[in-house]
Structures are given as C-alpha cells and as structure tokens.
Amino acid sequence: MKKKLLIVDDSSVMRRTIEKNLADYDLEIIGQAANGVEAVQMVMDKRPDVVTLDITMPEMDGIACLEEIMKINPETKVMIITALADKLTGLIALDKGARGFMYKPVNADDLARSFDKLLKRDGE
Amino acid sequence: MIKRLTNLPIRQKFAVIIIPLIVIILAFDYLQVRYHYLDYSDSVRLNKAIRVGIEINHVVHEIQKERSISSGFLANQGESFGVKLNKQRESTDSTLQQYYNELTNGDLEDLLELHRTDLDQLNAYFDKLSTLRKNIDEHRISSESSIDRFSEINNNALNTVIKLIDETRDKEIAQQIHAIIYFLKSKEFASIERAIGTQAFSRNHIDFTLYNRFTTLVANQNSYLDAFNIIANQESIEYYNQIVSGEEIEEVDRMREVLFANDTLSENPDHWYESSTIKINRLKDVEDYMSDNIQKRTQNIAQTSVRNFWTFLILDVTIGIIAFWLMTTIVTNLLKNVSILEAYTRRISAGDMTKKVVIPTKDELGQYANTFNRMVLEIRKSQFELRKQRDKAKFLYKNIYGVSLVVFENIEQGIFLLDKEFKISKFHSKAMKEIFSNDRIAGENFANFMRPLILPRELEALEMFMRHLFNEDMDEEVVNQLNPIDQVKIHTEQNGIVATKYIRVEFTRIFRKEKIQNIMVSVSDETESILLQQHLNEAEKKKQQETERVLSILKIDPSILRGFLHNSRKMLKSISERYEKNENDEYGELLSFTFDIIHNLKGNAVVIGMELMANKFHEIEDSITALQSKEVRGKDFLAILYEVDEADRMIAEIAEMLYKIINIYKKFPAEGDSVSNIMVIDSLERGAELIAKEEGKTVNLTFDNIDNVVLPEAYIEPFKDMMIQLIRNSVVHGIEAPSVRMSEGKVIMGELLIELSKSDNEMFIRYKDDGRGLDIERIKRQALDKGLVTDTDLKGMEEFEIQSLIFREGFSTADKSGTNAGRGQGMHLVKSILDQYKGAYDITSVDGKSFEMIIKLPVLNVEKGDEE
Amino acid sequence: MSKTVLIVDDSIYMRSLIKTAMEGAGFEVVGEAQNGESAIDLAVQLQPDLITLDNILPDMMGFEILKVLKDEEVPSKVIMVSAVGQQTVVNKGLSLGASEYIVKPFTEEDLLKVVEKVLA
C-alpha cells in the first residue's frame, strides 16, 4: 500500500517543488496545506503517513502544528523543511516528534536522501 | 588398594610385577634345589643309617645265635654247647666290636647326634650282655629267662635299627625298609623259635607255656613273613624263595611240626640247632642281600640327587639369570625410554620445545615418541603462529596506541568521547586544553563545560542536541544538521586575558554492537581563518572605498576639488580649535557650532558630487543629532571629535591622492584633458575585470593609443558608455567559457583590444575581441523572436545588415539581464550614441576567432578650438 | 551259652594261636577253615556268632569271602585278620560287612580286645 503524504508549506512554489521532487516516490500525495490549521484538519481527515512541515507559517506555526499532529497520530512521520536557521527550534521539533529535518532551499538529491531514510526507518 | 596401585610411578609398577615374579622363581628354584638336596641328604643319611643298621643286625644275628646256644646250655645244665657257647661269645663280641668301630667313623657324626638317645640306650643293652653271660655261666638264670634277656637286647637292637632307617622320603625305599624290618622281625622270631626248639629238644619235653609261646612264635614269624611277602620287591622275594629252601629248610619244618605235634621230642637238639642255624643264616643272607640292595639304591639315589641338585641348581640359576637379565634389559629399556619421555615432557611443560625426543626402539613407546614429536611440532607451529599473532597484536597495539597518543598529543583538533551522561572521556587530545584554556576537561559534563562559553539559548539547544544524538531512533544526519555549536564564538580567559575564539564542533556517533556507545566530538579552532577572512573582507572593503574615493575624485573638477578639500580642512580644524578654546564647558554651543560646520561641508560635498564625504558628514550629523536630545558632556563630545578627526583624515587622504594624480599627469606629456582619458581607461579595465569575474571568465583589456589621441571632454562619456557595452557584450557572449577556450586551443584569458587613432578629420576607435564572433543564425532567431524582423526581411538581408540587427532596440541576445548590462540598453545604446555623434561603424566577425568593430567619429577640432 | 567262633586262616599256627586265645576267653570254636571254599561252607553251615577271617588265603581273598557271606545272608560278625601294610584291603573288607580288623602279628590280649568290641 502506498504511503500517504501531506505537504504543508505556506509557499505554493515550495509545495510544488516538493511535490515535483517526490513524484518518483511510492507515495500518494493526499493533500497540500498552506498553514497549520489546514494541515491539522487534513491530518485529522486523511490520516497521512508522512507529512512535510514548514515551521514559519501563518495562523499556526510548524511547532504547534507538529504538536497537534502528534496528538492525532503519534505514528506520523513528520519531516521538517524550513528556512529558519534557528537550531533550537529545529531541536524542539525533534523533541516534539519530528523524524526528519531539512533546510530550505531543498534540492532533489537531498530530498531524496532524506525521504529514503525516513521511509526506511518507517519500514523497520 | 587398586587405585593406589594404578597411581604408582611406572618404576614401582614394574617392581610390583617383577619382584613377586622373581621371588616366585627364586622360591621355585629354592624348592627344587632343596628337594634334591633333601633327597641327597636323605639318601646319604639313610645310607649311613643302613650301614650302622647292618652292623647292628650283625650283632643281633650273633646274639640270636648266642641266645640259642645259651638256651641249650642252660637247658641241659651245661652238658652240651659249652665250647660252642664260648666260640659264639667271641663271635658276638667281634661283631659288637665291629659295630662300635663303625660308630667311631667320622662321617656318622650327624647320624649319631640325631639318634644319640637310641644308640646310648642300645649300647646300655649291649653292656648288659656281660652280666647275662655271667649269670648263664653260673646257672643262676633259667633257660626261658635267658631267652627273654637276649630277646630283650635284640628287640631293643631291632627297634633301634627301625628307628635309624625308618625315616626316608622315598616311598619305594621306605617300603623296602619296612620289608627288611618285617623280615628282621620274622627272623628274630625264627631265632627265638630255634632257641625254644633247642631247649625243648634238649629236655625232650615242652611244657604248656613254652608250647603256646612256640606256636605264637611260629604264627608271628609267619605273619611277618606274610607282610614281607606283600611289600618286598620281586627281587627280594625271589631271592628269599631261592635261598630259603632245600633239604635243611624242609628239615627245620619237619622238626617244627614234631614240636607242634608235641608227641615224642626225641630229636637231637644239636641237629635242630644246626638246621635252624642254617635256615637263620640263609635268612641272614636274604637280610644282607636286601640291606645291600637298599644301600646301593640309596647310594644311587644320593648320586642322582646330587646330579639333579646340581643340574637343577645350574639350570635354575641359569634360567633365573636369563630371566632376570631379560627383565632387567626390557624394564631398563622401558624405564629409560619412559624417563626420556618424562624428561622430555618436563622440558616441554617448562616451555622448551626446541628439541625432538629420540626413542631408539620401535615399540609403542617409539611410536608414542614419534606421535609426540609430531604433536610438539604442531604445538610449536601453533605457538609460533600465536606468537606471531601476539607480536602483531602487540605491535598494532603499541603502534595504534602510540599513534593515538601521539595524535592526541599533536593533533590541532580537540578530540574526545562523550558518554551517555554527556561526560567527557578521560582521554582527549591535548589541543582541548589549548582551545578552551581549561585544565578541567576529563569527566566534566560537556554542557556544563560549555556553559560559560556560549549563549544560554545555544546551551539549551546543545543539551537537547546531545540528547537527540544518543537517541537511536533519530537519524544522525538529521540531528547533525541541528548542531547548535557547529560554528560558535567563545570567550576564553587565560591569565586574566580574555580571548575570542571561533570554534567548530562536530559530533559523530560511535557504535559498538550496533548500539550507540559514545559520541566522538571534534573541536577545531577556526579563529585564525575566520579572523583572516574578516581581515580579507575588511581589506576588500577598504580597497573598494579607496577605489570609490579615487573614482569620486576623478569625477570632480580638480580645481573645485582642491578648493573643497582646502575649505573642508580649514572648517574641520576650526572645530578642534574651538574645542580646545572651550573653557566654560559649553558643549551645547560647541555641538551646534560643529553641526553647522558639518552641515555646511555636507552641502558642499553634495554640490560637487563628492558622495563619499557627503555620507561621512551625514553620519557625523546623525551622531550630533543623537547627542542634541540630551545634556552633552565632554566625554560625549569626544566621540564627535573622533568622527570629525576621521573625516579630516579622509580629506587628507583624498588630498594626498589628488596630489599623486597630479604628479602622474605631470609626467604625461599629454594635451587636453588627459586625466579624464586615463581615468576612463582605468575604469574600463576595472569594468572588464568585474564583468569577467561575474561571468566566471578572465579577460585582459589592452588599450593602445598609437597616436596619443586625447579624447575631448565631450567624447569621454560616450566613449566610456560604448566601450562598456562592447566589453560587456564580448565577455558575456563573445569570450567562451575557459573550458571551451582550452578545448579550442585558445589562451584561457580572453583578449580585448581598444585602439585609438585619428586622421585629420576623423577619429578611429577599434574594438576587438578573440571570442567566437557573431552567431548569425542566433541573431536571426533572436530578431524573429523579438518581432524585429520577418522571415521575408531576413531573406533579403546582407550579412552586415543581419549583424547590425544587434544594434536594434529591443534586441538582447543575453538570456538573463544582469547588472553587467550597463544601463540595460545593450548594443542599442552604442548605436544611438553613434547616431548622436554622427559616427559610423564597421563590423568584422570571424567565426570562432574574433569580433571586430571600427568606430569612426568626426574630430571636434572646431569645438575644442572654441573652448580654448 | 557261649558264643560260637569260626577261624579262617591258612596257617595252622595262626589258627592254633587264635583258637587257644578264644577258648581261653570262653568262646566255642565251632570250626576252622584253611581256605576260602571251606570257610564259606562252614560259615553257611554253622552260622557262627563270629568269624576271624584271614585276608590272604590260598584260593581267594578275604573280601571275596565277605561278599559271598553277605549274599548268603550269613549273620556272623567278621573280624578281618590282616598282615601289616594292608590298609586298603582292610577298608574294603570293612565296607563289605566286616565289623573290625586286627593286624598280624598280634597278642592274645589284642585279639580279645577286638572280639569284645565286636560282640558288645
């Protein structure tokens, strides 16, 4: 069964980039969210296996969104993709249950490698 | 018991086996030898006894005769037998003497010793003989009593003989001895019978008692003869039958029957005596014969025994010696081999394996030794292997450990391990101490260790980060992206001196058995490189400022500039003068005075287009404005003065630069506005370099002014703008990328050439690059794309016309519009300038080799002349 | 009534000796035999209380006579009279029914002691 992916980023360009780069993966993209509130709603509705999550977003930031996602389903594999250079925030995200972390801008190779790891770990 | 036996050393085991065997053999030998010796001694002793016995028997025989004669003598009151008696007594004494003589024989000592009592007793009886004879001579004794007395002596003698000889181990001899004994007894009874007969016939009468006695005598005599006949050997019996027969014997039997019938005893007693004596003598013959036989036989046995004794002794000793020799040899050999092996094993157990064990025999021990040798060889091999491995391991250990220590001593990085409690390992590289200026490293919690060195936020992040590093569920790479002290600025203090350092800290997981055991941390001090970078940046910035300054100077008319500089210095100086004169600490007034001057200078700077100074003065204005809001103190004003000083220094530098430039101009024998010319070329060179750098290319701009053409003021800007566009066009489009140039055999550095020349009424600007030339097809495509021409237009166009399309407005062959595009108008700008100044151009493009453009401009002699 | 005795011996002197001894002791010597054949005849005919049986007779051995007497069911007690060195023969006689034995030569007292023992 294909893993279900949700892409969360307030930038449509970024969302498209991620979508394009993950096209070759055995993932079913079940939705895209532009802010945390939308994202939480979609997680609740569609129960994705994997979520790519931006941190700086309007309405609800990535950390709060991550907390909500973990409340809904702690098994969700969350990959933080952010331009925010603050490492403490990143570490807090890991604390809250994120399983992957990437800095923007992303390129295809890095994204592939990170997803390989994330899904491989998932498969264990 | 058995366990104790099995635990004995081999030597003692052999002893346990061999000693009983030897004892058994020796015992057997002893028994054999003893048996034969006993046989021998028995035979010898028996032989002697028989000798003595024979002597006694001789005496007995004579006493028997004397008894009969004495009995007859007494019976007829000494009428007859008187002479015979005396003769017989001599004969008896003679045999008695022989007997005594025999006893004195030396070799009988042991026998005599053995039978001392018996023989003493017998001799006592023999001694009684003289008394008895006296009684007979004096008739003081009855015939019957005399017989009894004699019989008593004989009986004792016979018993003594029996005692002497009745002791032998040989059954056959024992039997024959018994035969002799029975025979002797029988003969004794026969002799008594003779005596009684002699008595009876002498008296012609036999009384009842005597008769009974006679009958008993005969019966007993026969009984003993029967016994003799039963046990005596055939030889003796035959001899008896042969000897004891004939007329005389039958006569004795006849007279015995007469006596038994007890009718008329008219027989002549002498006749009876003679006949009986013949018979008894015959019996004596038989007795002697038998004695002889036994003696021979015992002698024979003695000889055989002696032979057997020696034979056995020699045989046994020989066998014993051989057996002992064999056993000794084998056992010695075995023990020797065993002890060789034992010594060998002891040597091996002591660790000496250098020698082989040599067992010369090919028995199990020999094979064992061979096996042992092979085993030892194997052990040595594996030992060697082990030693090799051990040495290798030792070598590796020493080296690796040594190298590690050396590395730790010398490496410039700080390296240590963190355990799960974030404690720093005991071993860490020496550089740690230098980097952190801290001795207390080992065992410290790394977060605590870093606490005084970094910001609280960074510290919080570090603790969280380390926790994630030890979390195996987290990917190392993911975590490492969030290393908060990846690059961090720390302040260390050593001997009271605070130093700022830039360090890079990297973390690597160390796994053991697929579990995170430790985190290896490496710390590098990047202070120097970062400081260097900062220096470089600053230097670059300064250089840029200088350039800007130069450029800004060059844009301004030197005389105006000189005036500005002079005025500025004077004004600034007035500020410091005013400050020095300020005795009443009226800083507010001083401040406003300063502000006015600075503001004025700023205005001047703006007017003459000296942005650099205008900016600087503006900064000072800001600083002053910031101060105006509060009460001004002397200390505050010092900061303003510092800034004023700085502005003064800048002006001095600009003045100096101006002075230098003027000196350069003086060296150029140039006419016109040559300074501007030089400045233009300078800025074109810089421009070319800048554009090339951005495009990742390198170019060399050569400026050739053969005719020492000086561009008039009016042409400087147009010239500069056109050249910048051409340079840009060449660098972006014409000059190939370095890799391409290399593959085409060109010098990597692109060559750009600007050449000025003039004729009487024209000025020529020749621009050339060694790039790929104009790409006609591409120009066509671009022109079509931009809608500048139609396909039809293109078909009717010459090559030059197509080339000229690049000057058309809206044509830009560059895909991206960068900052290098000058004013963003491209080649169209060149064309419009040319049009403006009534210039003309010519293009020569050699495909792959060069692009050349020659610009003709009219000489502005008139204008120049007008100006002058 | 005195006990009856049969004396079997080939030697007249021995028979005389035994007869004298037995009669002296009050026994009635009812017969004398000097060979085996007459000894058997007399024993069967006379059925004496006691038989003194010499072991060696001219025609047969004493134990052969004992066998016959046993077959003929003669109830007489038998004393074997044996020369010295005849122990095996004596033993054979004892096993065939003889009550006692006496070794020649013997005295009157020796004989009577044995007889008393047998007839006790």
Side-chain angles (χ1 to χ4, degrees):
Chain A
M1 206 180 105
K2 279 189 173 183
K3 301 267 180 204
K4 293 183 282 183
L5 171 70
L6 171 67
I7 301 171
V8 184
D9 204 303
D10 59 341
S11 152
S12 61
V13 177
M14 195 61 216
R15 291 203 299 273
R16 266 202 305 283
T17 308
I18 294 169
E19 186 181 353
K20 208 170 75 190
N21 283 324
L22 292 176
D24 292 339
Y25 271 82
D26 197 23
L27 287 165
E28 181 196 351
I29 297 168
I30 55 153
Q32 300 189 359
N35 63 57
V37 178
E38 268 180 46
V40 171
Q41 193 57 49
M42 281 185 163
V43 168
M44 232 172 326
D45 294 346
K46 300 187 175 172
R47 297 279 168 158
D49 298 303
V50 188
V51 176
T52 74
L53 183 62
D54 191 9
I55 287 185
T56 41
M57 286 187 301
E59 308 250 355
M60 180 194 269
D61 75 2
I63 298 296
C65 177
L66 176 64
E67 281 180 319
E68 292 304 315
I69 292 172
M70 285 297 128
K71 273 184 211 159
I72 296 161
N73 179 14
E75 295 299 307
T76 318
K77 310 280 163 201
V78 178
M79 161 87 76
I80 303 291
I81 302 180
T82 180
L84 191 71
D86 180 55
K87 283 166 177 169
L88 185 58
T89 312
L91 288 164
I92 288 168
L94 293 189
D95 257 11
K96 305 278 181 198
R99 309 304 300 268
F101 188 92
M102 290 188 74
Y103 282 114
K104 287 180 190 175
V106 293
N107 64 49
D109 287 348
D110 288 347
L111 200 65
R113 213 148 48 89
S114 297
F115 263 81
D116 277 344
K117 278 184 186 168
L118 190 75
L119 296 175
K120 193 183 163 204
R121 280 174 170 264
D122 186 43
E124 275 168 4
Chain B
M1 179 66 190
I2 283 174
K3 198 169 183 186
R4 197 190 281 180
L5 262 181
T6 52
N7 283 343
L8 284 175
I10 291 175
R11 218 176 291 266
Q12 290 179 23
K13 275 181 187 159
F14 275 124
V16 168
I17 297 165
I18 286 164
I19 289 171
L21 270 177
I22 289 175
V23 167
I24 287 166
I25 287 173
L26 286 179
F28 181 73
D29 281 1
Y30 170 74
L31 287 178
Q32 281 287 320
V33 169
R34 182 167 176 271
Y35 175 81
H36 290 291
Y37 176 74
L38 283 180
D39 263 8
Y40 165 74
S41 61
D42 193 41
S43 304
V44 169
R45 189 178 49 72
L46 189 60
N47 196 267
K48 288 177 194 168
I50 289 168
R51 239 161 61 206
V52 174
I54 285 168
E55 292 306 323
I56 294 171
N57 284 344
H58 284 321
V59 175
V60 168
H61 183 71
E62 293 308 317
I63 290 174
Q64 282 170 349
K65 282 199 266 181
E66 194 180 326
R67 179 176 57 192
S68 296
I69 294 167
S70 299
S71 162
F73 175 78
L74 283 174
N76 59 14
Q77 320 296 315
E79 283 175 23
S80 55
F81 299 111
V83 181
K84 218 175 228 169
L85 184 61
N86 285 333
K87 253 189 186 170
Q88 183 55 45
R89 281 180 179 167
E90 279 170 28
S91 181
T92 303
D93 288 342
S94 157
T95 53
L96 203 56
Q97 195 53 52
Q98 266 180 44
Y99 160 68
Y100 284 130
N101 286 346
E102 183 64 34
L103 286 186
T104 57
N105 199 324
D107 68 344
L108 291 178
E109 217 162 281
D110 51 340
L111 188 80
L112 296 179
E113 193 60 43
L114 198 64
H115 295 285
R116 174 62 57 203
T117 327
D118 298 324
L119 289 172
D120 282 352
Q121 197 185 348
L122 176 61
N123 294 347
Y125 273 102
F126 282 151
D127 288 345
K128 285 178 182 174
L129 211 55
S130 55
T131 319
L132 181 58
R133 282 174 181 171
K134 210 176 182 182
N135 287 337
I136 289 167
D137 286 347
E138 291 170 6
H139 296 283
R140 277 192 297 192
I141 189 167
S142 71
S143 175
E144 287 83 356
S145 292
S146 78
I147 289 170
D148 286 346
R149 292 289 90 75
F150 280 116
S151 294
E152 209 177 355
I153 295 168
N154 270 358
N155 203 31
N156 193 276
L158 278 178
N159 281 338
T160 304
V161 170
I162 289 166
K163 278 181 184 165
L164 280 176
I165 63 174
D166 192 15
E167 249 180 52
T168 179
R169 293 148 33 84
D170 191 309
K171 268 191 181 173
E172 171 66 18
I173 288 175
Q175 196 173 329
Q176 291 317 306
I177 282 171
H178 277 98
I180 287 176
I181 289 167
Y182 296 146
F183 193 80
L184 285 173
K185 291 210 168 173
S186 178
K187 184 179 159 241
E188 170 68 5
F189 284 123
S191 171
I192 298 170
E193 182 194 355
R194 182 178 62 183
I196 290 172
T198 306
Q199 187 191 339
F201 284 123
S202 296
R203 287 182 186 159
N204 292 327
H205 168 74
I206 187 163
D207 63 19
F208 178 72
T209 314
L210 198 65
Y211 178 82
N212 272 351
R213 199 168 165 193
F214 165 74
T215 316
T216 308
L217 272 172
V218 176
N220 285 348
Q221 196 186 137
N222 286 348
S223 291
Y224 279 117
L225 262 180
D226 284 350
F228 164 77
N229 271 317
I230 288 164
I231 62 167
N233 60 19
Q234 203 56 40
E235 268 182 344
S236 305
I237 292 167
E238 270 170 18
Y239 190 74
Y240 169 81
N241 288 336
Q242 191 195 324
I243 298 291
V244 189
S245 64
E247 218 178 298
E248 295 84 357
I249 305 304
E250 283 166 18
E251 189 59 19
V252 172
D253 284 349
R254 191 191 59 79
M255 283 192 277
R256 178 191 276 172
E257 276 166 30
V258 168
L259 207 61
F260 187 64
N262 199 11
D263 288 338
T264 45
L265 305 177
S266 55
E267 296 292 330
N268 185 348
D270 277 335
H271 181 58
W272 163 255
Y273 177 79
E274 294 304 330
S275 301
S276 294
T277 301
I278 288 167
K279 183 189 169 186
I280 288 165
N281 282 345
R282 298 269 177 85
L283 289 175
K284 179 81 173 79
D285 274 355
V286 174
E287 180 204 312
D288 288 346
Y289 174 81
M290 284 169 72
S291 299
D292 257 14
N293 268 356
I294 286 190
Q295 215 167 8
K296 275 181 200 156
R297 196 173 161 78
T298 53
Q299 262 165 7
N300 194 26
I301 286 173
Q303 280 164 9
T304 313
S305 295
V306 166
R307 213 170 43 239
N308 286 348
F309 170 77
W310 285 113
T311 310
F312 265 95
L313 193 66
I314 290 164
L315 201 68
D316 288 356
V317 166
T318 311
I319 289 171
I321 287 171
I322 289 170
F324 189 77
W325 177 78
L326 276 174
M327 277 192 268
T328 313
T329 308
I330 291 168
V331 169
T332 308
N333 177 260
L334 280 175
L335 284 179
K336 193 180 144 203
N337 288 349
V338 166
S339 67
I340 288 173
L341 279 177
E342 196 190 355
Y344 186 57
T345 45
R346 221 174 265 149
R347 214 166 53 216
I348 285 167
S349 65
D352 177 10
M353 303 212 182
T354 51
K355 279 175 191 160
K356 275 190 171 183
V357 61
V358 180
I359 298 279
T361 55
K362 285 183 178 168
D363 56 5
E364 288 90 332
L365 281 176
Q367 289 169 6
Y368 179 47
N370 285 340
T371 313
F372 213 39
N373 282 333
R374 280 199 297 277
M375 224 163 72
V376 168
L377 198 69
E378 286 304 315
I379 291 173
R380 278 184 70 184
K381 263 192 219 164
S382 45
Q383 237 186 11
F384 177 72
E385 200 56 39
L386 275 176
R387 203 173 293 141
K388 224 165 73 182
Q389 293 297 335
R390 190 193 62 196
D391 289 349
K392 208 160 122 188
K394 225 191 240 171
F395 175 81
L396 283 176
Y397 174 76
K398 267 189 188 166
N399 277 273
I400 290 173
Y401 185 70
V403 166
S404 306
L405 282 185
V406 170
V407 167
F408 268 29
E409 280 295 305
N410 292 292
I411 196 166
E412 287 180 5
Q413 273 185 320
I415 291 176
F416 59 88
L417 293 177
L418 282 182
D419 63 13
K420 286 192 169 116
E421 270 107 46
F422 311 147
K423 288 227 175 82
I424 298 171
S425 59
K426 188 182 165 196
F427 286 103
H428 51 79
S429 63
K430 204 180 172 187
M432 283 294 288
K433 201 173 135 187
E434 287 155 23
I435 293 171
F436 292 102
S437 305
N438 192 345
D439 280 342
R440 291 182 56 193
I441 298 169
E444 293 291 313
N445 180 299
F446 186 55
N448 287 341
F449 181 78
M450 292 300 284
R451 192 181 301 279
L453 305 176
I454 55 177
L455 302 173
R457 193 178 167 76
E458 287 169 339
L459 187 70
E460 190 189 340
L462 176 63
E463 283 176 325
M464 213 180 271
F465 171 70
M466 288 194 291
R467 218 172 56 235
H468 284 299
L469 270 177
F470 275 108
N471 180 0
E472 298 191 7
D473 290 337
M474 283 294 174
D475 185 74
E476 186 174 5
E477 206 180 332
V478 168
V479 179
N480 262 328
Q481 284 186 87
L482 294 166
N483 178 2
I485 53 171
D486 180 22
Q487 270 188 307
V488 73
K489 188 174 168 185
I490 59 168
H491 301 281
T492 62
E493 192 185 320
Q494 191 170 20
N495 305 327
I497 298 160
V498 177
T500 303
K501 283 183 179 172
Y502 297 88
I503 59 168
R504 173 182 290 279
V505 187
E506 285 169 338
F507 297 83
T508 312
R509 281 172 174 174
I510 304 291
F511 289 87
R512 187 174 295 170
K513 289 172 186 168
E514 297 182 357
K515 293 269 171 208
I516 300 170
Q517 182 77 16
N518 292 100
I519 302 293
M520 187 178 82
V521 185
S522 65
V523 185
S524 22
D525 185 349
E526 298 194 325
T527 310
E528 275 183 39
S529 66
I530 283 175
L531 285 181
L532 186 66
Q533 189 62 45
Q534 283 179 352
H535 273 296
L536 285 175
N537 289 345
E538 275 170 24
E540 183 69 22
K541 200 173 155 193
K542 202 175 173 187
K543 195 179 167 191
Q544 211 171 343
Q545 279 178 350
E546 274 177 13
T547 311
E548 274 173 23
R549 252 174 246 173
V550 171
L551 285 174
S552 59
I553 295 166
L554 293 176
K555 278 194 288 186
I556 305 162
D557 186 278
S559 54
I560 298 169
L561 183 61
R562 226 179 278 129
F564 168 75
L565 292 175
H566 179 74
N567 186 38
S568 296
R569 296 207 77 177
K570 210 173 106 187
M571 300 281 275
L572 290 173
K573 204 180 171 187
S574 72
I575 294 173
S576 50
E577 279 169 359
R578 180 69 182 267
Y579 171 71
E580 280 160 23
K581 285 176 188 163
N582 183 16
E583 288 163 1
N584 302 322
D585 294 341
E586 291 160 344
Y587 290 109
E589 195 197 329
L590 187 60
L591 205 62
S592 69
F593 172 75
T594 308
F595 185 84
D596 287 345
I597 288 173
I598 295 299
H599 189 71
N600 192 8
L601 288 176
K602 184 182 136 190
N604 292 345
V606 171
V607 169
I608 64 163
M610 185 119 195
E611 277 177 46
L612 182 72
M613 287 317 296
N615 285 346
K616 181 67 194 170
F617 290 134
H618 185 76
E619 276 175 28
I620 300 172
E621 262 184 8
D622 283 352
S623 301
I624 295 169
T625 312
L627 279 178
Q628 276 173 339
S629 60
K630 58 176 188 177
E631 196 185 340
V632 184
R633 295 171 177 270
K635 198 171 65 181
D636 300 323
F637 195 73
L638 278 178
I640 305 297
L641 271 185
Y642 179 78
E643 286 190 64
V644 171
D645 239 24
E646 230 173 19
D648 187 52
R649 208 162 47 244
M650 279 168 79
I651 287 165
E653 280 171 13
I654 293 165
E656 194 181 353
M657 223 177 284
L658 185 65
Y659 176 73
K660 278 182 192 167
I661 292 166
I662 289 165
N663 278 344
I664 294 167
Y665 279 121
K666 282 179 181 166
K667 287 172 191 164
F668 276 98
E671 50 190 293
D673 200 349
S674 51
V675 175
S676 300
N677 273 241
I678 291 166
M679 292 308 301
V680 165
I681 296 306
D682 184 64
S683 67
L684 286 179
E685 280 173 354
R686 284 171 187 271
E689 205 176 305
L690 204 71
I691 295 161
K693 194 178 167 191
E694 292 207 351
E695 293 293 321
K697 296 170 183 175
T698 53
V699 291
N700 178 37
L701 174 64
T702 310
F703 178 71
D704 211 352
N705 192 350
I706 307 163
D707 301 329
N708 279 328
V709 179
V710 177
L711 287 172
E713 189 72 37
Y715 277 169
I716 285 179
E717 279 300 310
F719 170 75
K720 187 179 140 195
D721 288 345
M722 283 193 299
M723 288 304 113
I724 279 291
Q725 286 310 318
L726 285 171
I727 288 167
R728 186 190 149 273
N729 205 48
S730 289
V731 174
V732 175
H733 305 297
I735 302 297
E736 307 88 337
S739 57
V740 178
R741 288 183 68 85
M742 204 143 73
S743 67
E744 288 179 1
K746 287 181 176 176
V747 182
I748 285 172
M749 187 176 274
E751 277 297 335
L752 304 179
L753 177 73
I754 298 171
E755 207 176 84
L756 288 178
S757 61
K758 67 173 182 181
S759 65
D760 286 345
N761 49 7
E762 272 184 315
M763 214 167 91
F764 303 97
I765 304 166
R766 180 166 169 249
Y767 177 86
K768 191 186 175 186
D769 70 34
D770 67 343
R772 58 167 73 91
L774 292 176
D775 185 342
I776 297 297
E777 291 308 312
R778 198 166 162 194
I779 293 166
K780 283 183 186 170
R781 254 200 333 272
Q782 187 85 0
L784 282 173
D785 279 356
K786 304 279 175 182
L788 299 176
V789 288
T790 60
D791 274 350
T792 331
D793 295 340
L794 283 175
K795 276 167 193 161
M797 283 166 92
E798 295 288 317
E799 190 182 336
F800 174 75
E801 287 174 302
I802 294 168
Q803 286 172 344
S804 298
L805 283 174
I806 62 172
F807 298 115
R808 293 275 283 273
E809 191 171 7
F811 182 93
S812 174
T813 51
D815 289 331
K816 52 179 181 180
S817 59
T819 46
N820 299 333
R823 296 181 180 113
Q825 290 162 304
M827 296 297 274
H828 171 65
L829 182 72
V830 179
K831 182 68 165 56
S832 56
I833 290 170
L834 282 178
D835 289 347
Q836 190 187 335
Y837 291 92
K838 298 177 180 77
Y841 71 91
D842 189 23
I843 291 172
T844 316
S845 172
V846 182
D847 209 18
K849 288 256 170 86
S850 63
F851 164 81
E852 187 176 354
M853 184 176 181
I854 296 168
I855 295 166
K856 294 174 208 168
L857 286 170
V859 176
L860 297 171
N861 282 339
V862 182
E863 284 176 41
K864 195 183 174 185
D866 286 349
E867 270 183 23
E868 283 168 351
Chain C
M1 215 181 99
S2 55
K3 301 267 183 180
T4 54
V5 178
L6 173 61
I7 301 169
V8 182
D9 204 306
D10 59 335
S11 163
I12 186 169
Y13 302 103
M14 187 56 81
R15 287 202 302 274
S16 170
L17 176 71
I18 293 169
K19 189 180 176 186
T20 308
M22 297 306 279
E23 283 179 346
F27 289 96
E28 189 189 348
V29 177
V30 288
E32 289 179 44
Q34 56 184 336
N35 58 48
E37 205 183 325
S38 63
I40 292 163
D41 286 348
L42 285 171
V44 172
Q45 186 194 326
L46 301 169
Q47 303 272 318
D49 293 319
L50 185 72
I51 300 171
T52 68
L53 181 59
D54 187 17
N55 199 25
I56 302 162
L57 294 170
D59 55 350
M60 52 175 74
M61 295 294 283
F63 64 81
E64 289 173 315
I65 295 166
L66 272 170
K67 265 191 214 163
V68 177
L69 293 181
K70 206 178 175 189
D71 291 344
E72 296 291 332
E73 296 182 338
V74 174
S76 311
K77 303 274 185 184
V78 178
I79 295 173
M80 297 288 292
V81 179
S82 164
V84 285
Q86 296 283 288
Q87 198 56 43
T88 50
V89 180
V90 168
N91 284 341
K92 197 165 183 182
L94 290 174
S95 69
L96 284 167
S99 302
E100 261 300 345
Y101 72 96
I102 188 160
V103 177
K104 291 193 283 186
F106 49 80
T107 61
E108 222 178 279
E109 291 79 41
D110 292 336
L111 178 64
L112 291 176
K113 239 184 241 170
V114 172
V115 169
E116 262 176 48
K117 199 171 159 192
V118 168
L119 294 178

